[in-house]
Amino acid sequence: MLNWANQYNICCFLDNNHYASSYNRYEAIMAAGAINTLSCNAGTAFSQLQQFYDTHSDWLFGHLGYDLKNEVFAGMHSGNADGLHMPDLFFFQPEIVLLLKGEELSIGGWNMDQQAAANIFAAIRHTTISVVNKAVSNTDITAHIDREQYIQAVRALQEHIHRGDCYEVNFCRENFIRDTTAEPLELFRRLNQLSPAPFSAYYHFEDKFLVCSSPERFLQKKGPLLISQPIKGTIKRDGDVLKDKERRLELLHNNKERAENVMVVDLVRNDLSHTALQGTVRVAELFGIYSFAQVHHMISTVTAMPDPNLPLTEPVKQAFPMGSMTGAPKKRVLELIEQYEQSKRGLYSGAVGYITPDGDFDFNVVIRSILYNAGNRYLSFQTGSAITYYASAAQEWEECLLKAAAMKKIITA
């Protein structure tokens, strides 16, 4: 299915990799081709998206870049190095939409009839998969921040926490390759095989690509309910079954991880309260431990009922950027992130997803991802961790390396 869609200049494929959830609408969803597009930067991006939706009242797919923070919070800017040059917001109205639910594949789209759908299904079945031995031509990975610089930055952030500037800050580091040619579809196959995740995405617009194995949902609207599922808390899995169970319990009872998780849950509750009906914000699950291919994560679920009189985009705007990738209080940590990180985040720690014709939506958190600009031959992946006063700078560095391991493995293979 994805091989067939990749012939289009714009496509978006979202795969839950068979992770069961009562909140999931589809096992996989794909959009291909574009009838109309919206591309803009921070300023009036959310209102433009609302107008785009009101105009077309159709399926919309696309992304929200982290640097939309500059629109959400007055006085913000983004001045760090940017090798990817992606717009802060891009959405498209697709020509074709494919929905996989159980064993049923639905095919629809612009002026779609039964014969056209049958032709697409036949074309998908007969699409061949190309064999690619080397997914990236140049694999010389470098970074703006080395281990010593990272540790110094973490200690400086802890001084801010000690002074009361913030409680927690998510600090990220970019790994990148210049002057390289990549095969994004092959990278996605490898990443999805090595580290399958419930919010995986392959996203291609023009000469920009995202390959994503995200385990985290940013925000979903499903009927009258908003759902956010922030992750805070990570531990590496063990190959031994009994030891792996012990790892789960170790994560569950880790006071540092629980404290971080509570902080982000409180932040999400506050974010949702700005657009929720009074008394509807609640924590549906606290400290849930979920297992993935490489790690166990601590995930909590916060729900709310949005005010139906507000624009569709308002709950998204009020919750953006997501608390799990920023910290608390949000505005101050956004300033600190800009000060201490040396790369523009762009699409990383933003969101990719879709809006339905009836006004529902679902967006992931763009982490565990590789980004590629084929135009300037620049490939990038970032990793980060939550910095608190009691965090060990050396251990946070190791957590960043752990999160980057899957990307490095498939790039250098």
Side-chain angles (χ1 to χ4, degrees):
M1 191 162 73
L2 182 53
N3 290 78
W4 168 83
N6 200 47
Q7 67 181 299
Y8 290 85
N9 193 39
I10 297 175
C11 72
C12 182
F13 176 67
L14 308 170
D15 188 359
N16 77 4
N17 281 297
H18 307 291
Y19 280 92
S21 170
S22 59
Y23 300 117
N24 287 343
R25 294 184 62 168
Y26 307 103
E27 277 69 44
I29 181 169
M30 186 170 68
I35 302 165
N36 293 289
T37 64
L38 171 66
S39 179
C40 57
N41 291 322
T44 60
F46 283 102
S47 61
Q48 287 190 62
L49 177 58
Q50 182 67 50
Q51 184 178 6
F52 191 61
Y53 173 77
D54 291 340
T55 300
H56 301 293
S57 298
D58 197 358
W59 287 93
L60 301 178
F61 289 75
H63 79 260
L64 307 164
Y66 167 83
D67 296 281
L68 288 173
K69 66 181 176 65
N70 302 333
E71 178 176 332
V72 178
F73 294 92
M76 295 287 174
H77 70 283
S78 299
N80 288 325
D82 179 15
L84 291 163
H85 306 293
M86 293 189 175
D88 293 338
L89 183 148
F90 183 90
F91 275 81
F92 67 98
Q93 178 190 9
E95 294 178 30
I96 301 162
V97 177
L98 296 95
L99 308 173
L100 181 62
K101 191 168 186 177
E103 298 297 319
E104 180 180 324
L105 176 65
S106 300
I107 303 175
W110 193 255
N111 292 329
M112 184 70 63
D113 58 24
Q114 189 171 357
Q115 185 57 54
N119 292 340
I120 290 170
F121 183 68
I124 292 170
R125 291 186 62 192
H126 291 94
T127 300
T128 58
I129 300 175
S130 302
V131 177
V132 177
N133 294 322
K134 193 171 180 61
V136 179
S137 63
N138 168 24
T139 59
D140 184 16
I141 300 171
T142 187
H144 294 297
I145 301 175
D146 61 22
R147 185 181 187 277
E148 184 58 35
Q149 291 169 320
Y150 178 90
I151 289 174
Q152 289 177 3
V154 168
R155 289 172 179 166
L157 289 168
Q158 288 174 320
E159 282 299 311
H160 285 282
I161 295 170
H162 179 69
R163 292 198 298 266
D165 292 343
C166 60
Y167 306 102
E168 173 188 354
V169 56
N170 186 277
F171 181 56
C172 298
R173 169 183 177 269
E174 183 191 23
N175 303 270
F176 60 91
I177 306 173
R178 292 192 177 99
D179 193 25
T180 192
T181 301
E183 297 288 344
L185 191 56
E186 178 63 21
L187 288 173
F188 178 73
R189 288 197 195 98
R190 294 181 183 183
L191 186 59
N192 211 33
Q193 182 177 20
L194 179 66
S195 186
F199 299 99
S200 294
Y202 177 85
Y203 176 48
H204 168 206
F205 66 103
E206 300 166 348
D207 59 357
K208 317 292 195 306
F209 296 84
L210 166 71
V211 173
C212 175
S213 64
S214 174
E216 184 172 1
R217 169 178 276 132
F218 162 46
L219 191 64
Q220 179 189 39
K221 181 179 178 291
K222 189 178 182 184
L225 197 66
L226 287 172
I227 304 107
S228 183
Q229 295 180 293
I231 293 177
K232 270 289 172 275
T234 302
I235 195 168
K236 187 177 181 180
R237 297 200 63 173
D238 195 293
D240 182 271
V241 174
L242 293 178
K243 290 181 179 178
D244 197 49
K245 289 182 178 179
E246 292 174 359
R247 289 276 182 141
R248 286 175 58 93
L249 291 173
E250 182 182 345
L251 176 59
L252 177 63
H253 297 293
N254 186 301
N255 289 332
K256 172 187 173 292
E257 305 285 25
R258 290 167 74 94
E260 290 180 9
N261 199 279
V262 166
M263 284 185 195
V264 74
V265 166
D266 284 343
L267 184 56
V268 170
R269 289 172 61 217
N270 181 68
D271 288 344
L272 296 187
S273 70
H274 294 305
T275 56
L277 296 173
Q278 187 173 359
T280 65
V281 179
R282 71 183 191 93
V283 180
E285 182 182 28
L286 187 65
F287 304 148
I289 305 299
Y290 291 83
S291 301
F292 300 89
Q294 312 292 330
V295 297
H296 301 295
H297 279 310
M298 184 181 288
I299 306 176
S300 294
T301 300
V302 184
T303 63
M305 296 183 67
D307 185 338
N309 297 313
L310 291 174
L312 170 76
T313 58
E314 193 62 19
V316 181
K317 180 179 179 180
Q318 291 297 328
F320 198 83
M322 60 288 301
S324 62
M325 293 303 296
T326 54
K330 190 180 284 188
K331 183 175 182 180
R332 182 60 178 127
V333 299
L334 291 174
E335 294 170 344
L336 293 172
I337 287 168
E338 178 67 22
Q339 178 180 346
Y340 287 97
E341 292 184 8
Q342 295 185 24
S343 300
K344 182 178 178 181
R345 289 194 182 181
L347 182 46
Y348 176 75
S349 76
V352 167
Y354 63 87
I355 304 171
T356 71
D358 57 3
D360 284 352
F361 55 75
D362 204 359
F363 291 100
N364 73 359
V365 177
V366 177
I367 51 176
R368 316 289 201 279
S369 299
I370 298 170
L371 292 150
Y372 178 57
N373 183 328
N376 64 4
R377 305 179 75 229
Y378 186 93
L379 184 145
S380 167
F381 63 96
Q382 297 200 39
T383 57
S385 66
I387 307 304
T388 62
Y389 181 72
Y390 294 103
S392 162
Q395 289 179 3
E396 297 302 322
W397 170 260
E398 291 300 323
E399 182 175 327
C400 288
L401 296 185
L402 171 62
K403 291 174 178 176
M407 273 82 79
K408 285 186 175 181
K409 184 174 183 178
I410 67 167
I411 287 170
T412 58

